[in-house]
């Protein structure tokens, strides 16, 4: 029996065109409000590790020196306050309402329920909608979502995918940038990294991208 770390990647896709999620503080607050250790311990029976980036630890371009978001609900609340989303008594103390779209997979539905509970503690009212995969991907490709949960199996081993997923030139139907992420600094970096012959310099360029 061979037992080794896998590269399956569970993530929340974010629509950067959404009025609330366009605020960096809101996106960061959701990260700080998510207790990933508890999710791994109880939903995944400990059979996972917290991702500190998009690339897995065994990737040749893995970069550990990236921003970290440990569970910190107090910090999440401060960020939401700073973004202008204060608790509102007429909404039962909630700050904002968000919709998470998932597949009908049992783990996806359970994860949605856990996030509902965790985010409610910081004043985020999360609605979970379970859809068949075809509808889910159609909504995402059409930009008809706020948040979506998906699992990536093996597609994130090489950093060449950064261009496909994060370049503003690769929004659907021309790529997989479904969240409409835009960053002008990314284009020259990925273009240079894809043609750079020196492996170490290429790793440095992708590290800057991440």
């Amino acid at each position: 029996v061979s037992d080794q770390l896998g590269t399956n990647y569970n993530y929340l896709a974010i629509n950067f065109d959404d009025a609330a999620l366009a605020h960096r503080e809101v996106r960061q607050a959701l990260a700080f409000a998510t207790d990933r250790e508890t999710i791994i311990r109880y939903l995944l029976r400990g059979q996972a590790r917290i991702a500190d980036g998009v690339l897995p630890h065994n990737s040749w371009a893995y970069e550990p020196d990236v921003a970290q978001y440990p569970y910190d609900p107090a910090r999440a609340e401060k960020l939401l306050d700073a973004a202008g989303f204060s608790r509102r008594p007429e909404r039962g103390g909630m700050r904002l309402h968000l919709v998470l779209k998932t597949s009908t997979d049992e783990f996806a539905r359970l994860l949605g329920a856990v996030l509902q509970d965790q985010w409610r503690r910081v004043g985020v009212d999360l609605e979970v909608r379970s859809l068949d995969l075809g509808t889910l991907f159609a909504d995402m490709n059409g930009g008809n979502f706020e948040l979506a949960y998906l699992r990536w199996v093996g597609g994130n081993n090489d950093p060449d995918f950064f261009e496909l997923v994060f370049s503003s030139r690769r929004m659907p139907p021309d790529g997989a940038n479904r969240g409409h992420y835009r960053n002008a600094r990314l284009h020259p970096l990925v273009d240079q990294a894809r043609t750079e012959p020196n492996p170490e310099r290429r790793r440095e360029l992708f590290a800057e991208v991440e």
Side-chain angles (χ1 to χ4, degrees), residues 13-207:
I14 297 173
N15 188 341
F16 284 76
D17 289 336
D18 180 77
L21 296 171
H23 295 268
R24 177 184 296 179
E25 296 90 347
V26 172
R27 302 192 300 269
Q28 292 175 331
L30 296 180
F32 284 120
T34 304
D35 186 354
R36 294 182 292 167
E37 289 186 358
T38 295
I39 291 171
I40 289 174
R41 184 181 306 116
Y42 294 106
L43 289 189
L44 292 168
R45 305 289 193 271
Q47 298 299 302
R49 65 182 184 274
I50 291 178
D52 50 13
V54 187
L55 294 171
H57 288 222
N58 56 358
S59 169
W60 65 268
Y62 170 71
E63 173 55 61
D65 187 21
V66 295
Q68 301 297 312
Y69 296 90
Y71 181 52
D72 191 342
R75 189 170 179 182
E77 297 225 44
K78 291 180 180 178
L79 285 165
L80 290 168
D81 284 335
F85 294 93
S86 58
R87 288 186 177 271
R88 303 177 65 175
E90 69 274 18
R91 294 185 178 180
M94 292 294 103
R95 301 171 180 272
L96 72 157
H97 176 87
L98 293 173
V99 176
L100 170 66
K101 293 187 175 182
T102 76
S103 70
T104 56
D105 175 77
E106 182 181 5
F107 176 80
R109 290 185 285 108
L110 289 173
L111 177 64
V114 171
L115 291 177
Q116 275 183 322
D117 178 65
Q118 292 184 356
W119 292 1
R120 177 169 287 275
R121 301 172 195 175
V122 300
V124 176
D125 180 26
L126 182 66
E127 177 185 345
V128 181
R129 296 180 188 173
S130 297
L131 308 168
D132 65 88
L133 272 179
T135 302
L136 177 61
F137 277 108
D139 281 359
M140 293 186 67
N141 287 333
N144 181 25
F145 75 102
E146 290 183 311
L147 296 162
Y149 164 73
L150 288 173
R151 181 184 300 117
W152 206 345
V153 181
N156 60 324
N157 292 355
D158 190 276
D160 193 52
F161 76 91
F162 279 126
E163 194 264 347
L164 174 70
V165 177
F166 296 113
S167 171
S168 58
R169 299 176 298 201
R170 301 303 298 272
M171 295 179 186
D174 299 319
N177 184 359
R178 303 183 181 99
H180 292 183
Y181 176 76
R182 299 174 180 88
N183 190 324
R185 291 182 58 215
L186 184 140
H187 296 153
L189 287 171
V190 293
D191 288 345
Q192 184 179 351
R194 295 178 76 185
T195 58
E196 171 60 53
N198 184 302
E200 182 55 33
R201 176 56 182 154
R202 187 169 182 245
R203 194 197 69 78
E204 292 173 356
L205 289 167
F206 278 125

